Amino acid sequence: MGHYALESQHIVPIEECPVHHERGNRIAFALGDHLSRVAAITPLLRHVIIRSTADGREASAMLVVRRNDKALRAPIKKSLASPEKPDGFFINIHDQPGPFMVGDETIKIEGRSHVKEVVGGMSYLVSPTAFFQTNVGAAEELVKLVLEGVGPARTVLDLYCGSGLFSLQLAKAGARVTGVEENRQAMKDAEANLRLNRLPEGQVRFIAGRAEDSIRGAFDAVVLDPPRQGCPPRVLSAVFEQLQPSRAVYVSCNPDALAKELPGILKAGYRVKRVQAVDMFPHTNHIETVMAFER
């Protein structure tokens, strides 16, 4: 358990994740210890994914494996009987190569289906397979930057909206929001979060689908929060050349990808109003970048 060495699949061992609440660290490394004692299951293991709230009151653990094997039962049982037991435990089956952390099949073993996180005064239910910012303090800064970048926009399109982190905050500020997300479980979480926060009916509409297939209508502002590879050319063209909102806010977890896309955005008739880096993972070289554009 650790971080990948730069440009390598070699694991550099660590003793803690400084972003995690101490409870999240205890759960992760206790589970890793139980698993490491059974040498036969090592080839099955891929990831341990821990979701803990900022205050540590709720935590879930998900073990990502190549296949569900009987050899997993004993170490998981010991982990769930230990003092470092999470509130919910899941197994995810992921036998395909590639950059994705999780596969399509998730089995709930025990406990809660979600953890409830609070960001900027709003509550978010988060499933183990749905994306949500892991550094809650930094996530609150992202929310502030997005709200400032969007400004007084009355209608907002939130692409790659996940569980609704930005969508709900924008709606709370008074905008009518359309959120688009491909991950079906994240969409279910977003709908649940909408009900949980009792926002007015019709204030937010969520669409389950790929961003490139779901961009239509007219919006004052667009928020983009794509995965590490950035936005496909079809998305950039649809947003900046066809929709042409007066404002756009791009939240990038990969500044290299954003840098490659920037010339095309500027060529479409936009200028950069603000650039702000947010250090989501202070113990790594990863930097989140929020770039606000105006037409």
Side-chain angles (χ1 to χ4, degrees):
M1 292 180 63
H3 296 303
Y4 284 122
L6 186 63
E7 298 177 356
S8 161
Q9 294 293 298
H10 173 68
I11 301 294
V12 179
I14 63 170
E15 297 180 354
E16 67 167 356
C17 169
V19 166
H20 248 319
H21 187 276
E22 60 182 24
R23 186 187 177 199
N25 277 316
R26 292 197 305 267
I27 292 171
F29 287 93
L31 178 58
D33 185 51
H34 287 297
L35 294 168
S36 66
R37 295 176 188 175
V38 186
I41 67 173
T42 300
L44 302 176
L45 307 177
R46 296 191 70 164
H47 309 291
V48 173
I49 297 177
I50 307 295
R51 168 72 61 187
S52 62
T53 55
D55 60 6
R57 74 186 184 285
E58 294 182 19
S60 66
M62 183 166 68
L63 183 62
V64 183
V65 295
R66 289 178 171 83
R67 70 176 187 276
N68 191 9
D69 193 281
K70 291 181 180 179
L72 295 166
R73 293 178 183 174
I76 289 175
K77 188 175 181 179
K78 289 179 180 178
S79 180
L80 292 177
S82 75
E84 306 307 340
K85 171 184 175 179
D87 300 301
F89 191 90
F90 307 81
I91 289 179
N92 179 268
I93 315 299
H94 186 24
D95 60 355
Q96 299 299 312
F100 295 105
M101 290 283 286
V102 299
D104 293 332
E105 183 183 0
T106 302
I107 304 167
K108 179 181 172 182
I109 303 299
E110 181 178 300
R112 297 179 182 174
S113 299
H114 303 78
V115 299
K116 185 167 75 172
E117 188 57 90
V118 178
V119 180
M122 302 196 78
S123 298
Y124 296 87
L125 296 173
V126 187
S127 297
T129 58
F131 174 78
F132 195 82
Q133 299 289 357
T134 52
N135 184 333
V136 174
E140 291 195 347
E141 295 302 317
L142 293 181
V143 167
K144 292 177 186 176
L145 291 167
V146 167
L147 291 174
E148 290 170 6
V150 167
R154 297 178 63 184
T155 56
V156 182
L157 176 63
D158 184 12
L159 297 175
Y160 311 98
C161 69
S163 303
L165 175 63
F166 300 134
S167 293
L168 300 188
Q169 299 281 352
L170 289 162
K172 181 182 176 183
R176 294 181 68 86
V177 183
T178 299
V180 177
E181 172 58 50
E182 185 175 357
N183 184 304
R184 299 282 171 163
Q185 185 56 57
M187 275 285 85
K188 291 179 182 177
D189 289 352
E191 295 283 2
N193 293 333
L194 186 58
R195 295 189 295 271
L196 180 65
N197 289 280
R198 298 181 179 178
L199 289 167
E201 189 174 344
Q203 194 79 23
V204 183
R205 180 172 68 105
F206 288 114
I207 298 173
R210 299 196 312 162
E212 48 264 59
D213 299 329
S214 308
I215 301 173
R216 60 182 65 91
F219 297 92
D220 300 328
V222 175
V223 176
L224 304 103
D225 185 13
R228 287 196 61 76
Q229 61 265 34
C231 290
R234 277 181 61 195
V235 170
L236 294 174
S237 175
V239 170
F240 294 101
E241 296 175 14
Q242 297 169 33
L243 280 186
Q244 297 183 339
S246 58
R247 295 188 179 200
V249 183
Y250 194 133
V251 181
S252 172
C253 59
N254 185 355
D256 289 341
L258 177 57
K260 293 175 182 176
E261 297 167 11
L262 184 56
I265 296 173
L266 301 182
K267 188 177 179 181
Y270 287 80
R271 64 182 176 190
V272 178
K273 187 178 180 183
R274 182 180 182 183
V275 183
Q276 178 64 57
V278 178
D279 198 355
M280 294 290 289
F281 304 102
H283 55 302
T284 77
N285 65 333
H286 294 294
I287 294 291
E288 201 93 2
T289 305
V290 181
M291 191 170 285
F293 296 92
E294 60 183 9
R295 185 166 160 71

